[in-house]
């Protein structure tokens, strides 16, 4: 099955700095890669996603890049703010025998210090 | 518009007991999935339902079962609870039939503690 590796497990930055989280996936059939932000005690919130026919996507301070050849995708957050502090999960979506499932990485805890 | 709603938000059960968790998808969404998130890990896929039919099942024992109702709401049932079943149970909905590339929206989850 699909396997998603995510690094780093924790990331501490100063307010205003950039943060980069990297993920790799194993199954070349995966073609959709969402990123979720999870705050303490809450469910995952979709923040950005990218499909396999696109190499890069940007939404204000957040951008995602995808390298299908290397099976690698990354989340970039610029001008970080304390409210960006949360756990971020990458995921890969694959269709299996008529259903689709998300395989998640283990998460990155981002701490933004004022 | 209301997002994915789940109930109860928190519950404590004893080993061996049974639990039922409930989920209402976003209005208009016909696909519902269930995920288990153990503390410190990413969510793991349990079930996917579309149009009231089970479309997929993850690597979970038969103690786990689910169903989807005509109004597209769903229940997750877990029998003979074990300590290891303690987790956040997440329901997710999607507007599309099951296919790779569906945008999936999660609820806030039900925290289950087994003692």
């Amino acid at each position: 099955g699909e396997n998603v590796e995510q690094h780093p497990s924790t990331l501490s930055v100063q307010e205003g700095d950039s943060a980069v989280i990297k993920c790799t996936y194993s199954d070349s059939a995966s073609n959709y890669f969402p990123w979720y932000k999870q705050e303490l005690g809450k469910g995952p919130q979709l923040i950005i996603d990218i499909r396999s026919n696109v190499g890069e996507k940007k939404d204000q301070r957040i951008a995602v890049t995808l390298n299908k050849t290397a099976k690698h995708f990354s989340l970039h957050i610029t001008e970080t703010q304390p409210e960006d502090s949360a756990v971020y999960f990458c995921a890969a979506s694959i269709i299996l025998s008529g259903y689709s499932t998300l395989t998640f990485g283990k998460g990155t805890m981002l701490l933004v210090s004022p | 518009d209301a997002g994915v709603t789940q109930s109860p938000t928190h519950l404590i059960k004893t080993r061996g007991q049974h639990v039922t968790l409930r989920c209402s998808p976003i209005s208009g969404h016909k696909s519902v999935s269930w995920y288990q998130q153990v503390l410190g890990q990413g969510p793991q896929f349990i079930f996917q339902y579309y149009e009231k039919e089970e479309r997929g099942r993850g690597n979970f024992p038969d103690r786990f079962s689910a169903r989807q109702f005509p109004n597209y709401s769903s229940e997750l049932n877990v029998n003979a609870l074990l300590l290891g079943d303690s987790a956040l149970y997440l329901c997710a909905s999607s507007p599309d039939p099951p296919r790779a590339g569906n945008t999936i929206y999660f609820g806030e989850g039900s925290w289950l503690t087994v003692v």
Side-chain angles (χ1 to χ4, degrees), chain A residues 31-32 36 38 42-44 46 49 51 89 93 95 98-102 104-106, chain B residues 35 37 41-43 45 48 55-56 88 90 98-104 106-108:
Chain A
N31 65 358
Y32 172 65
Y36 290 87
Q38 189 171 28
K42 296 192 173 184
L46 179 68
D49 56 14
R51 300 176 194 279
F89 290 96
S93 176
I95 190 83
Y99 70 96
S100 63
T101 180
L102 289 177
F104 285 83
K106 292 188 175 182
Chain B
Y35 285 77
Q37 187 177 20
Q41 301 289 322
F45 172 75
Q48 184 174 74
R55 290 299 190 96
L88 177 66
L90 295 162
R99 58 179 167 83
N102 285 358
T103 302
I104 294 175
F106 285 89
E108 299 288 23

Side-chain angles (χ1 to χ4, degrees), chain B:
Chain B
D1 285 344
V4 178
T5 57
Q6 294 186 243
S7 63
T9 54
H10 297 81
L11 68 166
I12 300 174
K13 291 285 188 177
T14 303
R15 277 179 299 174
Q17 285 189 317
H18 163 271
V19 68
T20 297
L21 307 177
R22 295 177 175 84
C23 170
S24 293
I26 294 171
S27 178
H29 287 197
K30 299 179 179 179
S31 179
V32 169
S33 298
W34 287 94
Y35 285 77
Q36 180 197 64
Q37 187 177 20
V38 175
L39 200 61
Q41 301 289 322
Q44 275 199 296
F45 172 75
I46 310 176
F47 286 109
Q48 184 174 74
Y49 277 78
Y50 178 71
E51 289 281 17
K52 302 176 286 293
E53 291 186 0
E54 181 182 309
R55 290 299 190 96
R57 182 187 184 114
N59 188 23
F60 280 81
D62 291 344
R63 300 184 295 108
F64 288 76
S65 64
R67 55 180 175 167
Q68 187 177 34
F69 299 100
N71 66 353
Y72 303 111
S73 67
S74 179
E75 279 183 358
L76 175 69
N77 295 282
V78 187
N79 292 324
L81 286 168
L82 304 173
L83 295 178
D85 294 332
S86 296
L88 177 66
Y89 288 85
L90 295 162
C91 177
S93 78
S94 173
D96 303 309
R99 58 179 167 83
N102 285 358
T103 302
I104 294 175
Y105 302 92
F106 285 89
E108 299 288 23
S110 293
W111 287 95
L112 171 64
T113 302
V114 182
V115 297

